[in-house]
Amino acid sequence: MVRFRRFGSLAWAVGLLLAGAQLAAAAERTPTSGTEVFTARDDARQGREKPALAATTYWRVQAFVKVAQAGSGAHVQMLLPLSDAHQQISARSLAASAMVFREEPQAGNLWGHWTLPQASGGPVELGYEVVVASSDYERPVPRTALKSFSAPADAHAELQASALIQSDDHDLRRRAHELIKDAQTLDAAVWALFQYTAAFVKGGTAEAKADARTVLQQERGSSAGKARLLAALLRAVGIPARLVGGLKLEDASKKRATTSWVEARVGAAGDSWVPLDPGGGYFGWLPHNYLALYRGDLPLIVHSAELSLEYGFVVHQASREAAQAANRAAAGAPPAGVLAAGPEQVRTTATYVERPVASVVLIADQSVPEAVSDRIVKEAQEEEIDVVLLQARFESRYFRELYLQRLINNNLTLIRQANVLLIATGDDAGLYALLTLGEKQMALADARIVIAGDFLQPVGAVIGVVLRRLVQAGEVVLVNRPANLLALWEMTRANVINGVPMAEEARKWDLQPLVVSQLTDDDLSHWRRLVVGAWTRAVRAQVPLQALNLILVLPIIAALIVVARTVVGLETFGIFSPVIVSLAFLTTGLRWGAAIFAVIVGLGALMRAGLQHLRLQLVSRLAILVAMVAGVMAGLTVVGASFGIGALMNVSIFPMVIMSNVIENFTSSQAQFGTREAIRLTVNTLLLATLCYLAVESTGLQSLVLVFPEMLLAAIVVDVALGKWRGLRLLEYLRFFDLTRRMEKPWRPV
């Protein structure tokens, strides 16, 4: 309220007139008389980093209101969400029980009214359900001269002071102008006001209508209080601003709390509203888990004074297909036929609590039974821990790393907020997937990282040190063997709740962890420190170590093939073909790589036989075969997308070139030596590529070469030594076995 000083009756009269004007303005905002429900606070955590690519998520949001008992004429009205540039609302359904429903648009909002014609003998339930497609939304503040900015002529309502947004308060106006005194541009002025408000301590009691002046004086406030203060500061310097009330969408959550943010109008056009969330730290953009329910400093629900009600929201994340099916069902169209997609490859399980004591993110490349995930969720709720379980299951290590990286990139906000980040993989894929955080230069100084997988301890030590240098984590713990996810969860829970050190709790589960954060430079040799520094600089320069893995392992594969050809005597399509085929298997996995190989080579042989009748030149035939390979690869991609086969969905140009080369070798050999010899060389090439793949995958050679690059010198030494081999091959001994036996017998003249 306006402060009064006793300077006579004239001052009293002026004060009463001002107070009356404020009360009148507040009355104009209230749609109907009755009891207003201002929702509880839901303070967000700071986070300003915009995603590199905008994401879209789909949600099913249910709002419910339960009235214990109602008399005739009882009335409840609730604000309903509308579509805008940030969100698309569809498939809306209403629940009105015995009440009459009507809609009323008002000042850019939509009110839903429920009225009870006659008294109810028991509880009454009402509400609505919508499907929301929400996207990351960015609208930056223009970098224009502050002196040249003027508010649009129709923005009077967004500049006017109100009972809770006291933009005409003397102290508030003085503070606003002090904050922007050095700003020369509009974006600098808005940023100064935003940064000042966002730095306030989070606080405020539930259901409190925190006004801007109180937040300014106490330098603390809820999301609604901070939003009101920022709106008042913007209005005080002539920038139109309005409040937005909404929800933070979290999967499998039930909540009453809403959040508030601000939209500042920085241009004359109707689409020039810039989102500003001082409670969450979002400046000029909003993430895809924000849902706007209404605009203006309004109560969410207004109801008759005699009613006693309970309200809340239930939120579930949905897939795009489920959202589209809901839209078709809402439109009255029968759902289209759906092709079975096979086993689920990527899965997310999450639970959130109102005031978590900690946040844990679990990432696994294994199939987690529902009983295990249900137990983790239940225990997390009991201990008031936010937990998110992300799963990506693929045969190929390459694709597991790829999808684990995608899971991490799609959940950067969760990972940044996590107190514990737990990675459980079958090998060292988790180590490499986390390096993507280093590529983004993300620091996790307060987080503890636990990585479990089947990898050699020297590999874990070197890559773990690289990871710690990149993300500067508070603690990095490595368990160099596959561990039960429940054991890892219990280890994490004991650390979070009871403060038990990770290494101590791990020993209870017969695990011998390596705490990377306790390693010093003295624990690594001088050469190994150079290797760590080199790979750290490479990741910071956006060079993925997975690509370096594939490059460095090529000489090792080539040395293995030299052994197979020189010592064993296994004939193939040269040395280059088995090398690149085994490299293709490393990206696709052996099962699907061999299947693709057989399909492509088989079709290529059949097509070549058909092209013989056209008497085409070799170059033309090969060009036609390349076109055939491209078509088959595209078809395999469609099959992979239909049945959820990751190795087929991610077919790249590299395997296509490899398979085209194999077909060229097959056709050339067939023309020179006949079909039988071409088939023999093809089988030998496939066999040798398979053996090389198994040798690399089963021994962890990819990571060993990265940690011990001096292995390349050993491969060269082997190549030099075998290059001087002049003896018979093993297969030649078998071929001439009978001849050698006859030669060993004494010669008798006839």
Side-chain angles (χ1 to χ4, degrees):
M1 297 299 293
V2 180
R3 298 177 180 175
F4 297 104
R5 294 184 178 180
R6 300 178 179 274
F7 290 145
S9 58
L10 180 60
W12 275 101
V14 173
L16 290 173
L17 287 174
L18 290 174
Q22 291 175 345
L23 292 174
E28 289 177 359
R29 289 197 318 272
T30 305
T32 61
S33 59
T35 302
E36 303 175 357
V37 178
F38 285 80
T39 62
R41 65 183 177 90
D42 182 17
D43 290 326
R45 300 180 179 179
Q46 294 281 339
R48 294 195 179 100
E49 182 181 347
K50 293 188 288 291
L53 297 174
T56 299
T57 51
Y58 300 85
W59 308 84
R60 186 183 296 272
V61 181
Q62 296 172 295
F64 64 90
V65 178
K66 297 180 180 179
V67 182
Q69 204 167 13
S72 177
H75 178 262
V76 178
Q77 62 186 76
M78 175 185 282
L79 284 159
L80 311 179
L82 294 171
S83 298
D84 56 24
H86 171 62
Q87 61 195 32
Q88 293 296 318
I89 308 298
S90 60
R92 191 177 71 181
S93 59
L94 299 167
S97 186
M99 304 184 81
V100 178
F101 174 79
R102 66 180 178 87
E103 293 180 349
E104 180 187 3
Q106 187 180 78
N109 291 312
L110 179 63
W111 284 96
H113 296 261
W114 287 268
T115 305
L116 189 64
Q118 56 186 3
S120 66
V124 178
E125 294 187 9
L126 56 96
Y128 66 87
E129 178 178 340
V130 295
V131 172
V132 181
S134 181
S135 304
D136 292 327
Y137 174 72
E138 181 180 4
R139 185 71 66 181
V141 183
R143 192 176 181 83
T144 58
L146 183 59
K147 293 182 179 179
S148 63
F149 174 78
S150 60
D154 58 348
H156 177 72
E158 290 80 29
L159 289 170
Q160 188 177 11
S162 66
L164 299 177
I165 305 177
Q166 304 100 329
S167 56
D168 57 354
D169 179 76
H170 175 72
D171 293 337
L172 191 147
R173 292 178 63 86
R174 179 173 56 82
R175 182 62 56 85
H177 286 281
E178 287 178 353
L179 291 171
I180 68 167
K181 64 180 180 180
D182 296 327
Q184 302 296 322
T185 58
L186 180 61
D187 60 330
V190 176
W191 170 249
L193 300 177
F194 173 87
Q195 194 175 27
Y196 173 77
T197 309
F200 280 9
V201 177
K202 299 174 183 178
T205 58
E207 307 290 342
K209 295 166 60 174
D211 61 284
R213 186 194 296 121
T214 302
V215 175
L216 178 66
Q217 292 171 349
Q218 298 180 355
E219 295 188 348
R220 63 183 299 124
S222 63
S223 62
K226 288 186 177 184
R228 290 191 180 104
L229 174 59
L230 179 57
L233 293 172
L234 290 167
R235 293 179 183 183
V237 298
I239 300 176
R242 66 186 180 190
L243 257 67
V244 183
L247 281 176
K248 283 186 179 178
L249 303 177
E250 298 167 331
D251 189 31
S253 66
K254 181 178 180 181
K255 58 195 307 182
R256 292 186 62 187
T258 60
T259 188
S260 299
W261 62 93
V262 177
E263 286 181 341
R265 189 173 179 182
V266 294
D271 60 349
S272 57
W273 292 98
V274 173
L276 306 167
D277 179 18
Y282 298 105
F283 179 82
W285 76 286
L286 284 179
H288 54 77
N289 65 330
Y290 271 46
L291 170 65
L293 297 175
Y294 56 89
R295 286 171 168 82
D297 198 359
L298 300 170
L300 176 65
I301 301 172
V302 178
H303 60 86
S304 303
E306 72 277 5
L307 295 182
S308 175
L309 57 81
E310 177 187 357
Y311 76 96
F313 297 88
V314 178
V315 180
H316 291 281
Q317 189 168 1
S319 65
R320 181 175 63 178
E321 292 76 14
Q324 292 173 346
N327 292 338
R328 288 192 296 266
V338 179
L339 186 64
E344 193 176 29
Q345 298 284 353
V346 180
R347 182 183 174 192
T348 301
T349 305
T351 181
Y352 300 91
V353 296
E354 195 68 26
R355 291 178 177 83
V357 298
S359 176
V360 178
V361 175
L362 297 91
I363 302 177
D365 69 348
Q366 55 191 275
S367 178
V368 180
E370 290 190 8
V372 174
S373 59
D374 291 345
R375 175 177 169 180
I376 292 175
V377 168
K378 180 181 178 181
E379 292 181 354
Q381 291 173 341
E382 292 174 352
E383 302 289 356
E384 295 187 338
I385 299 174
D386 280 352
V387 64
V388 178
L389 173 59
L390 308 172
Q391 304 172 55
R393 298 181 291 106
F394 292 91
E395 174 193 356
S396 166
R397 172 181 175 227
Y398 176 82
F399 284 121
R400 276 189 287 114
E401 290 179 7
L402 181 64
Y403 273 83
L404 288 172
Q405 286 181 353
R406 290 183 183 179
L407 285 177
I408 291 172
N409 288 329
N410 293 337
N411 295 275
L412 287 178
T413 302
L414 288 174
I415 292 173
R416 186 186 295 108
Q417 297 172 355
N419 302 103
V420 179
L421 181 59
L422 195 153
I423 313 293
T425 58
D427 46 34
D428 53 6
L431 280 167
Y432 291 98
L434 280 181
L435 292 177
T436 187
L437 300 177
E439 295 178 14
K440 299 182 179 300
Q441 300 183 1
M442 181 183 295
L444 302 175
D446 297 329
R448 280 153 289 179
I449 301 177
V450 182
I451 306 172
D454 187 10
F455 50 83
L456 297 175
Q457 184 164 332
V459 172
V462 171
I463 304 300
V465 172
V466 172
L467 175 64
R468 186 168 184 270
R469 287 189 180 184
L470 290 169
V471 302
Q472 302 173 5
E475 187 177 42
V476 177
V477 179
L478 301 180
V479 179
N480 63 326
R481 71 173 192 181
N484 184 281
L485 189 62
L486 271 181
L488 296 173
W489 161 250
E490 293 297 338
M491 184 176 74
T492 302
R493 187 165 69 108
N495 178 266
V496 169
I497 300 301
N498 302 320
V500 181
M502 289 281 188
E504 179 181 336
E505 184 66 22
R507 295 187 187 98
K508 297 179 182 179
W509 299 91
D510 195 25
L511 301 175
Q512 300 297 326
L514 172 66
V515 182
V516 177
S517 51
Q518 295 178 357
L519 293 178
T520 63
D521 287 345
D522 295 335
D523 296 319
L524 299 175
S525 65
H526 176 69
W527 169 246
R528 215 56 58 208
R529 290 198 296 271
L530 293 177
V531 172
V532 168
W535 299 150
T536 303
R537 288 190 294 272
V539 175
R540 285 175 177 163
Q542 310 294 314
V543 178
L545 290 190
Q546 292 89 333
L548 287 176
N549 263 338
L550 295 177
I551 293 173
L552 294 178
V553 82
L554 279 176
I556 306 298
I557 296 176
L560 294 175
I561 293 174
V562 168
V563 172
R565 288 180 59 89
T566 305
V567 178
V568 180
L570 193 65
E571 295 181 348
T572 61
F573 289 134
I575 190 172
F576 182 67
S577 292
V579 168
I580 59 176
V581 171
S582 61
L583 195 62
F585 288 173
L586 289 175
T587 60
T588 61
L590 180 60
R591 181 178 57 169
W592 290 108
I596 294 173
F597 181 93
V599 169
I600 295 293
V601 175
L603 290 177
L606 292 176
M607 179 167 285
R608 184 193 179 279
L611 293 175
Q612 282 182 338
H613 302 288
L614 298 179
R615 301 180 180 276
L616 299 176
Q617 295 184 4
L618 177 62
V619 176
S620 298
R621 291 201 305 270
L622 291 178
I624 295 173
L625 290 175
V626 169
M628 183 273 297
V629 171
V632 172
M633 286 291 186
L636 291 176
T637 302
V638 174
V639 172
S642 301
F643 293 92
I645 303 171
L648 300 184
M649 287 189 292
N650 294 274
V651 171
S652 63
I653 189 65
F654 190 56
M656 188 181 79
V657 173
I658 291 173
M659 298 306 174
S660 300
N661 177 266
V662 172
I663 292 178
E664 179 181 358
N665 289 329
F666 180 86
T667 54
S668 299
S669 299
Q670 191 179 29
Q672 295 180 24
F673 309 111
T675 302
R676 183 175 180 179
E677 180 66 13
I679 293 176
R680 186 181 72 85
L681 293 176
T682 302
V683 172
N684 287 349
T685 299
L686 177 60
L687 175 62
L688 186 53
T690 301
L691 293 175
C692 290
Y693 164 83
L694 294 175
V696 172
E697 280 290 286
S698 60
T699 59
L701 273 176
Q702 290 189 64
S703 297
L704 282 174
V705 174
L706 196 68
V707 174
F708 302 101
E710 56 268 28
M711 291 178 63
L712 300 182
L713 295 177
I716 294 175
V717 171
V718 171
D719 295 337
V720 171
L722 293 181
K724 296 181 178 294
W725 180 271
R726 295 296 182 267
L728 292 176
R729 279 72 170 168
L730 293 179
L731 292 180
E732 290 174 341
Y733 276 110
L734 294 176
R735 185 188 309 172
F736 302 117
F737 181 72
D738 292 337
L739 179 60
T740 55
R741 285 180 58 188
R742 288 197 298 268
M743 291 179 62
E744 291 175 355
K745 294 180 179 180
W747 180 75
R748 297 177 181 178
V750 178

